[in-house]
Amino acid sequence: MTRTLIIGGVAGGMSAATRLRRLDEKAEIIVFEQGEHVSYANCGLPYYLSETIDTRDALLLQTPRSLWSRFRIDVRVQHRVVSIDPAASSIQVLKLATGETTTERFDNLIISTGAKPRLPEIDGIERALTLRDVSDADKAMDALANSPKTAVILGGGFIGVELAENLAHRGVKATIVQRGSQLLGGFDPEMIEPMHQSLETNGVSLVFGAQADSIGESTVTLSNGATLEADIVFVAAGVVPDVWLAREGGVAVGATGGIKVDDQQRTNFDNIYAVGDAVEKHGMLSGEATLIPLANLANRHGRLVADVIAGVATAAKPSVGTAIVGAFGMVAAMTGMSQVAARNAGFDAESVHLHPGSHAGYYPGAKRVSLKLTFEKSSGRILGAQGIGEDGVDKRIDVIATAMAGGLTVDDLMDLELAYAPAYGSAKDAINQAGYVANNVRAGRTSVIHANELEQSMHPVIDVRTASENAAASIPGSVLIPVDELRDRIEQVRDLAAKTGKVVVHCAVGQRGHTASQILAGMGVKALNLSGGYTTWALAQAAAARG
């Protein structure tokens, strides 16, 4: 009978434990968890604070008793593993309730120690709350029971955004303090700007380019000299892999700070594996090691390790990094690389922006879906995508993530047969449209220019929208020539093109701009279509103003 010990529960550890039991009824499986809870929904913690998830028990997925009853898994909570001895295939365990230390041998060891909050070293940090486990949520609920009016959230990542929304639902005025110039740093500035605007519209204050210098009894003092009222303070400045135990035991840690593993989640010791947020992932696009602290990967890799231990031939697939976050009805999702990241990784990358509807425009309730698709120009390989909007963002990013996993190109997106009815999609779905636009760029039928490149290009800009659209808002210095008038005013266009050899055309979202560029190409004028049109340009301007 083999003996498998697991350090840490939650997504990775418990997935490994339960899968291993299903594969091997005779295996001895022991899970050591230093906290009080071994299986809980940590992604649901922010929603418990607002009582959107209205009971604490809903967060507790399994208990030691239920895991023993169903799976005969020996779960020992409040047991801290204090050392690993790979040579002896053993660990030292401290029982927190009594101070007793025991030695436990193993045939296989799975490290699932997760990640820990990144805490700034500032005066008063002990007053700040974090939100990583149920105990943290209990402390936060106790603090919220005192009816705070103001909150400061240090950090604008996924948890910071979700905290701001859920605190607002409780009537707490929240301010997010972010060291950089935008929230959710994995997104491109113009793509995440609608989230900024949605948060502010709903009463959340955003402070960029600053960090906390100190935390007082009811205030937070920032590096820019400002003082913020703060009845309650949360730190949501990201996480770092919790690898001290592995490192002390001689388990190799990579340059990212995560535990190094092979494609079977095996460490540098044959019988020691690691899963979850403490572990490096292998990027699907660049092949480089990266940190992706997501529960779905932890679950997947926990299951995989159980298969490996049970003798099932399997290997982890590289990770693409698909993520989503929402607040106040605005949803932002991403998969793969941004255009900047792709170019920095050495890809000949191009991107296209588009702003289609979530479903057929003639059916009531359609919302704008803003998409940015990044691809390799030579091959059409999809490198990444970002989306933001109020409806339909999740399924579009999921389709693109699936296409990437299947090795599809942007050209293949044109031909995907996706579910269509007026209330759910369009005859030309947003995914198909992204493929059409990208294919036009790859084939050389359309040349695009991006909003952040416009000012430096010096090319004359022609607004091909209607006069009423131009009067409502326009790009400074642009010349209004509606698309239907281009042929009749071609000499004016040629005069403009003579200044730099090209013109830039733009409409609201890029579709009429494409038509305009084709008309002009047929008449011998080189034109660049502003990717995403005025809509993307305006978002890029607003994002730049925050910096």
Side-chain angles (χ1 to χ4, degrees), residues 5 44 117 139 158 189 201 207 209 238 320 354 357 365 373 394 397 409 417 440 460 463 465 488 491 499 504 520:
L5 306 184
K139 293 175 184 177
F158 287 74
T201 298
V207 177
V320 68
L354 60 158
L373 178 65
D394 53 345
I397 293 299
T409 69
E417 297 183 30
N440 281 330
D463 185 347
R465 299 175 299 166
D488 296 331
E491 292 305 321
K499 297 176 182 178
V504 173
L520 295 179

Side-chain angles (χ1 to χ4, degrees), residues 300-376:
R300 185 188 313 164
H301 294 156
R303 175 190 171 96
L304 182 144
V305 166
D307 285 358
V308 171
I309 290 173
V312 178
T314 187
K317 295 183 181 298
S319 304
V320 68
T322 305
I324 189 167
V325 64
F328 302 108
M330 184 64 65
V331 178
M334 64 184 297
T335 188
M337 293 180 166
S338 67
Q339 182 180 5
V340 172
R343 288 180 174 176
N344 288 342
F347 290 101
D348 180 22
E350 182 57 274
S351 294
V352 294
H353 293 80
L354 60 158
H355 304 276
S358 58
H359 60 247
Y362 59 82
Y363 188 90
K367 301 290 186 179
R368 172 180 289 161
V369 176
S370 294
L371 288 176
K372 183 176 184 179
L373 178 65
T374 299
F375 55 94
E376 188 174 45

Side-chain angles (χ1 to χ4, degrees), residues 180-262:
S181 59
Q182 68 173 75
L183 304 179
L184 302 164
F187 288 85
D188 291 320
E190 78 278 10
M191 294 303 297
I192 206 60
E193 179 59 23
M195 181 65 78
H196 294 160
Q197 296 174 7
S198 177
L199 288 165
E200 291 173 329
T201 298
N202 285 280
V204 177
S205 298
L206 305 178
V207 177
F208 295 108
Q211 53 191 340
D213 265 359
S214 63
I215 299 173
E217 292 185 5
S218 60
T219 60
V220 173
T221 302
L222 303 183
S223 57
N224 62 9
T227 299
L228 302 177
E229 296 295 322
D231 296 329
I232 188 172
V233 179
F234 285 90
V235 176
V239 296
V240 293
D242 192 353
V243 297
W244 72 268
L245 180 64
R247 182 184 283 115
E248 290 297 313
V251 175
V253 174
T256 66
I259 299 171
K260 294 181 69 171
V261 294
D262 64 12

Side-chain angles (χ1 to χ4, degrees), residues 388-427:
I388 192 162
E390 297 178 64
D391 181 44
V393 171
D394 53 345
K395 70 175 182 178
R396 270 64 186 220
I397 293 299
D398 282 345
V399 168
I400 294 174
T402 303
M404 293 173 69
L408 302 187
T409 69
V410 291
D411 298 337
D412 294 318
L413 297 182
M414 298 188 294
D415 298 320
L416 289 182
E417 297 183 30
L418 303 172
Y420 163 59
Y424 306 103
S426 299

Side-chain angles (χ1 to χ4, degrees), residues 10 59 62 95 115 117 144 175 272 285 370 377 379 441 510 517:
V10 200
L59 299 170
Q62 295 281 0
K95 187 174 182 180
L144 290 169
T175 299
I272 300 179
L285 299 169
S370 294
K377 290 199 306 187
S379 67
V441 172
S517 70

